[in-house]
Amino acid sequence: MTQDQLTAADLQTSRMRRVRSHTVRWLFMTAATVTVLVSALIIWTVASGAWTFISQVELTRLTDIGWFPRRGLFDLTTLLVNSVQISVIAMAVAVPSGFGAAIYLSEYAHPRVRRVMKPTLELLASVPSVVLGVFAISFITPSILTNFFSEINFFNKLAAGIAVGLLVIPLIASISEDALRAVPAALREASAGLGARRVTTSIRVVLPAAMSGLMAATIVGFSRAIGETMVVTIASGGGDTSLFNLSLFESGGTLTSAMAALGLGTDQVAGNNLAFQSLYFLGALLFAMTLVLNMAGDVIVRRLQNRY
């Protein structure tokens, strides 16, 4: 059959092939729709529960002596301060260690060493958080912190922050190493050609060039730290109640540990009827904080991003 003899019917695919194509398209569309619906349902559930709480609670109860939901005391400052304190400690541990590991893997490690060490480092991220929580109360506090601070409590925010930092290190190191490796080799070669040492090249050339990726790693790590639950629940001793204090040597509940206690129903044994409803308000607050962090991170990364 020549080209002049081709008809529109000849150019059409077979009926079975069209049916398969349409079926696959509808399957993918259904999957995408279900994802959107589930996300919308989660947001609606949290938002409606949060509105129920905030519309019925006395505003004076939100700025009281501490977090005692059974007694109707819902001091948000206590949970927010404790969450920020533990997250800052975690970042103080994770950022230098994560950046140091990333610089070594990207700039100094032999390729064969890198092929072994990076998967091993990423494997640390799979360690269950509950294990690090137990590690904090069984080793960090009794074997390390008590040697420096005799007045420290067995459950304390300092140990919780250190344990969360250990949990975040693999995440920051992996993202940072990818960002450093994305810097063109021509910049390193140009720096070496000018007589710069490797350490100078790493600090003065590679790090500024990868700043957007490093900032993204830091923000992702902070979001991970502020959303950690099991480590702070176990190590900081923050459960269903928490008295406001700024000391890192004392126990203290966070947004996530309070949500865990409320979700388990421990605050519904007796007491205020809004105790369980505050779970939704805490969830909405944590969602808003994470959203703001991600939006701020996106703006910062866009401003620092270098295009080559």
Side-chain angles (χ1 to χ4, degrees), residues 211-223:
M211 187 57 64
S212 61
L214 299 179
M215 287 299 302
T218 303
I219 294 170
V220 171
F222 190 83
S223 299

Side-chain angles (χ1 to χ4, degrees), residues 63-219:
T63 56
D64 223 306
I65 60 173
W67 178 261
F68 299 92
R70 291 195 189 97
R71 295 161 50 186
L73 304 178
F74 306 99
D75 182 29
L76 296 178
T77 306
T78 298
L79 302 182
L80 288 174
V81 169
N82 292 341
S83 298
V84 172
Q85 283 181 324
I86 292 176
S87 299
V88 169
I89 296 172
M91 298 309 294
V93 173
V95 170
S97 302
F99 283 1
I103 292 173
Y104 171 75
L105 291 175
S106 174
E107 306 301 316
Y108 293 93
H110 190 276
R112 282 184 291 185
V113 176
R114 185 186 301 115
R115 284 195 296 268
V116 174
M117 289 193 63
K118 186 172 183 182
T120 303
L121 182 64
E122 293 175 346
L123 187 63
L124 294 176
S126 63
V127 176
S129 57
V130 65
V131 174
L132 284 174
V134 175
F135 176 73
I137 62 175
S138 62
F139 180 77
I140 295 179
T141 297
S143 301
I144 299 178
L145 297 182
T146 53
N147 295 327
F148 298 95
F149 313 104
S150 58
E151 70 279 7
I152 195 168
N153 195 346
F154 182 74
F155 298 103
N156 59 87
K157 290 179 281 186
L158 182 58
I162 294 174
V164 174
L166 296 178
L167 184 68
V168 176
I169 285 176
L171 178 64
I172 293 181
S174 180
I175 299 176
S176 300
E177 198 268 343
D178 291 337
L180 294 173
R181 295 273 292 173
V183 176
L187 293 181
R188 298 178 176 87
E189 295 170 356
S191 178
L194 293 174
R197 296 176 299 172
R198 177 174 290 186
V199 62
T200 304
T201 300
S202 300
I203 296 176
R204 302 292 295 275
V205 177
V206 179
L207 283 181
M211 187 57 64
S212 61
L214 299 179
M215 287 299 302
T218 303
I219 294 170

Side-chain angles (χ1 to χ4, degrees), residues 251-264:
S251 62
T254 63
L255 290 171
T256 52
S257 65
M259 290 177 65
L262 291 167
L264 290 173

Side-chain angles (χ1 to χ4, degrees), residues 46 48-54 56-57 61-62 67-70 72-76 79 240 255 258-263 267-268 272-286:
V46 173
S48 60
W51 174 252
T52 301
F53 171 78
I54 200 65
Q56 297 182 15
V57 70
R61 297 293 187 178
L62 300 179
W67 178 261
F68 299 92
R70 291 195 189 97
L73 304 178
F74 306 99
D75 182 29
L76 296 178
L79 302 182
D240 51 358
L255 290 171
M259 290 177 65
L262 291 167
D267 290 309
Q268 286 295 87
N272 193 279
N273 293 329
L274 290 177
F276 187 75
Q277 294 298 325
S278 63
L279 166 66
Y280 298 98
F281 181 73
L282 294 180
L285 184 61
L286 186 61

